[in-house]
Amino acid sequence: MLQPTPGTVHFTQVLVHTPVYSQMAGALTYLSSAVLPPGSLVRVPLGQRELLGVVWHETTSPESPQAGLDISRLRPITVVLDALPPLSAHWRALIQFAASYYQRSAGEVALSALPPQLRELSSVQLARKLKKLAKTVEKTAGTGAESASETTFAESQSAIYSVVLSADQTRAIDQFNQNQGPFLLFGATGSGKTEVFMRCSAELLARSPGAQVLVMVPEINLTPQLEERFRARFGHLWGADAVVSLHSGMTPAQRLNSWLAAHSGAARIVLGTRMAVFASMPQLQLIIVDEEHDPSYKSGEGARYSARDLAVYRAHQEGIKVMLGSATPSLESWYHSRPAAEGGRYQRLDMPSRVGSGQLPLVRRVDMNHQPKGCIIAPPLLSAIAERVARGEQSMLFLNRRGYAPVLECTDCGWKSTCPHCSAFRVFHKIDRTLRCHHCGLTERVPRACPACGNPDISPVGRGTERLEEHLAELLVDIRRPDGEAVRIVRIDADTTRLKGALESQLAQVHAGDVDVLVGTQMIAKGHDFRRITLVAAVNPDNALFSSDFRAPERLFSLLMQAAGRAGRDAAVAAKSEMWLQTFHPTHPLYAALKQHDYPAFAESQLQERQQASMPPLSFQALVRAEGRTQEAAQMFLNRASQAAREQSDTAAMLPHLTIYPAVPMSIARIANVERAQMLIESSSRTALQRFLTAWQSVLHSTRAEPQCKGLIRWAVDVDPLLI
C-alpha cells in the first residue's frame, strides 16, 4: 500500500482515454497525496465522469509546478489501484511508440489495451482476484511437490521431444536457436509451422523459469483450436491456467482474468488476436505471429495500428526473439526477409514440404467461358464433389460473400435494395427474409412488392454463401453417402456463428466427419486443420483480379493458397486432393503461379510492379480520413489542411520529400448518414513522412477550428493503410 506523505500534495500526470483530435489528447495533471510510480493504475474525475487512467510521468512536488498550471483548478485522484503492480517501462515505451508512429493519443492507445472491467473494480476487489490467482498457481506448482524440480524437468523434456520432427522443422528450429532474428517462417500449408512454434516455446519455457510467450493469431475463430493444442502440450506441466487467451470475443470477466494472469506472470503462454500485442507480460521472452500476412492484424478503427509490425518493434525494444509465420507472407515481410547483402532485416526459415507423405493439392482451373450460361457450379466440379461424397470424403466450397444475394432488384423500374443511410446495398438474407446493411446494421423485412413501382417481381442478383448452400443442396439431392444417407451440407460464416459456441460446434461436426460439403467465407479458408477434406473449390474468385486496390492480387493469392491448403492434410488422402478454380480468366498469371504453388514467383512479380509504381513496401503511405455532415465539408477540411501545410515553414520543409494527393470520397462514401473523404500522402522516406505527420497535427487542429470546416465531425490519420 502506498503511504501518503503527511501534509503534502503532489502533481501527477495521468493518461486517460481521449482521442487525438480532442483538445485534451495529452496527459492530464491531477493531485495525489502520495508519490505514485509511473505505470500505476488510478481512477480520476473528468467532467461528470470517472475514468480509468495510467500514471505516465514521475510525480512532481508542489515546489516544482508546471509552467502556466492553474493549481486551483486541479482535482484529486479518486482511487489508486495499488493492489496491481505498476505497468512496466517496456509496456509504456511500446504504448508511446505506437501512439507516436500511428499518430494517436497515448491515452487512447493505453486505455484501449487494458481490460474494460478494470474501470469498475475497487483496489480491494482486485486484491482478492490476485490472491485467488496466486492460490491457483501455488496449487498447480505444488502438485507432486516431491522432487518437483527433477520431475518437472523430466516431464518438460518428454513433452518437448514427444513429436518426431521433419528435416525442414529441425533445420528451422536450429536456425532459430542459433540466430537473433527477427524470423520469417515461410512454410507450406501443412508443413508443421504450429509444431515449430510449440517446440521453440517449450524449449524456452523449460530453459527459463518464469519466462512468458505471446502467440498471436489473426482471428478469434482460430484461437480455440490453437489453445487446445497448447493446453494439451503444456497443461500437465504448469496447469491449465498457465495457457490463457486474450481477445475481444471474451466476456469482460474472462478478459480481466486472462490479463491479470499475464500481468502477474502466472500465465506462461498468452494466445490472442491483434489486441494481445499490448498485453502486459513482465517476463516476455518470445513473440510468435501466426498467419502474419492476414489483414486482420491491422486495426480498422480507433488507433489504426498493425499488430504484426508492433510485435517486431516490441521484440526489438525488449531484446527478445520474434517469429512471423505464413505460407503466403505479406509482401512487406517477404521484402524484409531478402538476403542481408541486399538490405534484408529478417531471417527467412524455409519449410517447403508438408509433414509426412502429405502433398499439396492439384490445382484445376475451370474455364467458365465454356460452361453452360449462368451456371453457378460447373458440371465437372459438381461431378467431382459427388464422387467425394460417394467415397465418404469431404469437400469445401469457398465464396467470400455472405447472405443469399448482395442485392434485390426490380425487373420493371430497376429499383435496388440500397441502404438509405449508406452508399451501399442491403444484402438479402433469405433465411429470415430480411435486407441487412453490413455497414450500419439497418435491418428490414423484405418488401412484398417494389417500393418504387409496386411490381411484385423483385428478384435477387448475384449470390452469397446462403444461396450457394441452397443451390448445392438442390444439385446433390440424389447423391448418397456410403451409408445411404443424404448429403450433409453445413455453412460457416458470420451469420451462422453469431451465437456463443456455434463455431466450435460446427467445426467439431466437420472434424468428426458428420459433414460432407462445407460452404463458407474466408472464415474456413485459413488456419483450420481439416483432415478429411480432399477437394476445395473457389466459386467466384475473379472479382479481385482487376480491382483498383493495388493490394487486391496479394490478398487473393494468399486467400486462395490458404484455402487450397485445407485439402490433403492427411497423408492417406493427399494423393487425390484437388483445388478447383472457377474462373473466366484461366490464363491469368496469378492463377498460373497458384497452380504451381509458387509463392516466390508471384511475390517477385508483384514486387517488380510495386517498384515500378513506387508502391509499398518500396515507399510509405498515410491516409488522412475525414468524416462530416456533408461530403463538401469533409473534403473542404482535408484540402484546407493540405494548403495550410504548404504555408507553414515546419511542414513546408518536408514537402519536397512527399506527394500529397487531393481529397476524394472514400470507396464507400457514406455510412450511417456520415460522409467520408480521404487524402493520400506518399513518400520514399518513412522518416520524412513521420516528421511531416507529427508537425501537421497542429495544422489539422487549427484547420478544424476554421468556420469553413464547421460541418466536420472528426478526422483520423491512418499510417501504413491497407485499404485505399
Side-chain angles (χ1 to χ4, degrees):
M1 180 72 70
L2 292 168
Q3 296 298 325
T5 305
T8 62
V9 176
H10 302 272
F11 301 122
T12 304
Q13 301 292 308
V14 179
L15 283 183
V16 295
H17 194 298
T18 51
V20 71
Y21 55 81
S22 73
Q23 299 301 315
M24 298 184 295
L28 305 179
T29 303
Y30 287 89
L31 302 176
S32 64
S33 58
V35 176
L36 302 179
S40 300
L41 292 177
V42 296
R43 281 206 285 273
V44 296
L46 185 64
Q48 300 300 315
R49 300 174 294 163
E50 184 177 280
L51 303 180
L52 182 68
V54 183
V55 176
W56 207 241
H57 301 296
E58 295 287 347
T59 302
T60 58
S61 64
E63 289 76 23
S64 56
Q66 298 175 358
L69 188 65
D70 186 354
I71 300 177
S72 64
R73 299 183 62 185
L74 298 185
R75 303 169 71 180
I77 290 174
T78 307
V79 177
V80 178
L81 302 180
D82 50 6
L84 280 174
L87 295 159
S88 70
H90 279 311
W91 187 88
R92 300 196 307 276
L94 174 67
I95 295 295
Q96 193 66 60
F97 170 80
S100 173
Y101 184 82
Y102 293 105
Q103 302 295 314
R104 311 299 295 190
S105 72
E108 181 182 13
V109 178
L111 275 299
S112 298
L114 298 176
Q117 207 172 39
L118 278 176
R119 302 178 178 94
E120 305 167 6
L121 300 183
S122 67
S123 188
V124 174
Q125 290 172 314
L126 279 174
R128 289 174 184 165
K129 279 186 170 291
L130 289 170
K131 185 177 180 180
K132 183 178 179 181
L133 180 64
K135 284 184 177 179
T136 303
V137 174
E138 183 180 349
K139 181 179 180 180
T140 302
T143 304
E146 60 279 0
S147 63
S149 59
E150 297 180 7
T151 303
T152 302
F153 181 78
E155 287 181 348
S156 63
Q157 294 299 99
S158 175
I160 290 174
Y161 300 108
S162 61
V163 177
V164 178
L165 300 177
S166 68
D168 287 349
Q169 290 173 317
T170 301
R171 182 172 59 253
I173 293 172
D174 289 343
Q175 292 176 335
F176 173 82
N177 290 331
Q178 294 167 10
N179 298 280
Q180 290 303 310
F183 301 93
L184 174 63
L185 182 62
F186 171 50
T189 53
S191 61
K193 293 186 291 296
T194 302
E195 181 59 39
V196 171
F197 298 154
M198 290 197 292
R199 180 67 67 95
C200 292
S201 301
E203 291 181 353
L204 169 68
L205 296 176
R207 191 169 59 242
S208 305
Q212 294 176 294
V213 176
L214 172 62
V215 183
M216 297 173 59
V217 293
E219 296 182 4
I220 294 174
N221 70 80
L222 297 178
T223 307
Q225 65 176 20
L226 193 64
E227 183 176 0
E228 183 179 347
R229 293 187 65 175
F230 271 84
R231 285 189 190 279
R233 179 68 63 90
F234 301 110
H236 69 287
L237 294 177
W238 300 296
D241 294 324
V243 180
V244 301
S245 293
L246 196 60
H247 55 75
S248 60
M250 304 170 70
T251 65
Q254 290 171 333
R255 184 172 165 185
L256 175 63
N257 290 337
S258 293
W259 187 88
L260 290 175
H263 181 61
S264 65
R268 306 294 303 279
I269 298 173
V270 176
L271 309 173
T273 51
R274 64 172 178 254
M275 63 177 289
V277 74
F278 293 116
S280 175
M281 302 176 67
Q283 301 299 323
L284 182 62
Q285 296 296 318
L286 172 63
I287 304 176
I288 293 169
V289 184
D290 194 14
E291 308 290 0
E292 65 86 27
H293 66 277
D294 200 289
S296 299
Y297 282 121
K298 173 74 170 172
S299 174
E301 57 186 24
R304 291 172 170 84
Y305 62 89
S306 167
R308 178 199 66 209
D309 295 346
L310 285 179
V312 175
Y313 174 82
R314 184 173 187 177
H316 171 74
Q317 173 206 30
E318 301 194 26
I320 62 178
K321 291 185 178 182
V322 59
M323 182 186 293
L324 315 178
S326 177
T328 55
S330 64
L331 288 181
E332 284 79 5
S333 296
W334 185 260
Y335 180 73
H336 292 322
S337 68
R338 66 195 190 278
E342 300 175 13
R345 299 188 289 112
Y346 299 174
Q347 182 168 352
R348 191 182 300 167
L349 310 176
D350 292 315
M351 296 202 310
S353 304
R354 280 189 158 181
V355 172
S357 303
Q359 301 177 23
L360 292 170
L362 173 68
V363 177
R364 295 182 179 274
R365 291 169 286 184
V366 182
D367 189 347
M368 297 303 287
N369 296 295
H370 299 155
Q371 303 303 317
K373 185 177 181 180
C375 78
I376 299 175
I377 306 294
L381 174 56
L382 185 63
S383 298
I385 295 172
E387 290 176 9
R388 261 63 178 190
V389 174
R391 293 203 301 256
E393 299 168 4
Q394 293 176 328
S395 302
M396 185 178 90
L397 271 68
F398 162 69
L399 177 63
N400 206 22
R401 177 180 287 159
R402 61 189 174 103
Y404 189 85
V407 62
L408 282 185
E409 182 180 31
C410 174
T411 56
D412 279 359
C413 69
W415 170 89
K416 292 181 175 63
S417 55
T418 55
C419 176
H421 308 305
C422 307
S423 51
F425 293 112
R426 285 175 292 167
V427 176
F428 173 41
H429 290 258
K430 187 177 180 180
I431 192 169
D432 58 0
R433 302 291 298 176
T434 60
L435 293 174
R436 299 183 207 163
C437 178
H438 291 172
H439 300 283
C440 71
L442 176 66
T443 301
E444 293 180 347
R445 300 288 297 173
V446 173
R448 295 182 179 273
C450 173
C453 69
N455 174 32
D457 188 13
I458 51 177
S459 57
V461 178
R463 64 191 64 89
T465 50
E466 189 180 334
R467 190 175 188 183
L468 180 61
E469 177 192 22
E470 178 185 274
H471 183 63
L472 200 58
E474 295 171 353
L475 295 174
L476 298 176
V477 67
D478 296 326
I479 305 300
R480 290 292 179 266
R481 294 160 48 97
D483 58 8
E485 294 187 8
V487 177
R488 299 172 184 172
I489 302 174
V490 164
R491 171 168 54 94
I492 296 182
D493 55 28
D495 296 320
T496 65
T497 58
R498 281 183 292 180
L499 298 179
K500 184 176 178 60
L503 177 62
E504 290 80 359
S505 174
Q506 290 177 317
L507 290 177
Q509 287 181 288
V510 178
H511 291 303
D514 297 334
V515 175
D516 301 303
V517 182
L518 177 62
V519 177
T521 57
Q522 64 178 4
M523 288 179 65
I524 62 173
K526 52 192 175 185
H528 298 290
D529 189 19
F530 299 129
R531 311 301 295 183
R532 292 179 169 88
I533 287 181
T534 59
L535 182 149
V536 172
V539 176
N540 184 24
D542 287 347
N543 290 342
L545 289 179
F546 309 104
S547 170
S548 59
D549 182 359
F550 70 92
R551 284 193 173 89
E554 176 188 0
R555 283 196 291 267
L556 177 61
F557 188 89
S558 295
L559 197 54
L560 293 178
M561 199 163 177
Q562 292 286 334
R566 300 317 105 202
R569 299 178 74 88
D570 192 326
V573 297
K576 49 190 175 183
S577 63
E578 295 177 343
M579 167 69 168
W580 289 64
L581 296 171
Q582 292 194 158
T583 173
F584 288 95
H585 307 279
T587 60
H588 195 282
L590 186 148
Y591 294 142
L594 185 68
K595 182 173 177 62
Q596 301 300 322
H597 300 281
D598 194 351
Y599 175 81
F602 170 77
E604 183 65 28
S605 66
Q606 286 291 301
L607 285 174
Q608 288 179 1
E609 292 182 10
R610 301 273 185 97
Q611 186 173 27
Q612 293 169 359
S614 296
M615 293 289 188
L618 296 113
S619 67
F620 306 93
Q621 296 179 331
L623 276 176
V624 185
R625 295 190 171 100
E627 298 180 357
R629 295 181 180 89
T630 64
Q631 186 64 220
E632 292 73 18
Q635 292 192 36
M636 172 70 75
F637 166 76
L638 295 174
N639 288 326
R640 290 189 67 85
S642 175
Q643 181 60 37
R646 292 173 169 84
E647 297 170 355
Q648 297 211 10
S649 58
D650 51 350
T651 50
M654 296 287 107
L655 293 181
H657 308 285
L658 304 171
T659 301
I660 303 179
Y661 294 90
V664 295
M666 293 181 63
S667 56
I668 302 178
R670 187 177 79 259
I671 289 182
N673 290 326
V674 174
E675 295 287 345
R676 312 188 307 162
Q678 64 185 20
M679 174 180 286
L680 176 64
I681 306 170
E682 289 184 334
S683 176
S684 59
S685 168
R686 189 194 300 270
T687 302
L689 180 61
Q690 280 291 317
R691 287 178 177 174
F692 172 78
L693 293 175
T694 300
W696 202 27
Q697 286 285 351
S698 60
V699 177
L700 291 167
H701 278 287
S702 60
T703 303
R704 184 186 187 184
E706 294 181 3
Q708 298 92 327
C709 302
K710 187 176 181 180
L712 181 73
I713 298 175
R714 65 182 67 89
W715 54 269
V717 178
D718 187 357
V719 181
D720 301 334
L722 290 186
L723 296 174
I724 295 178

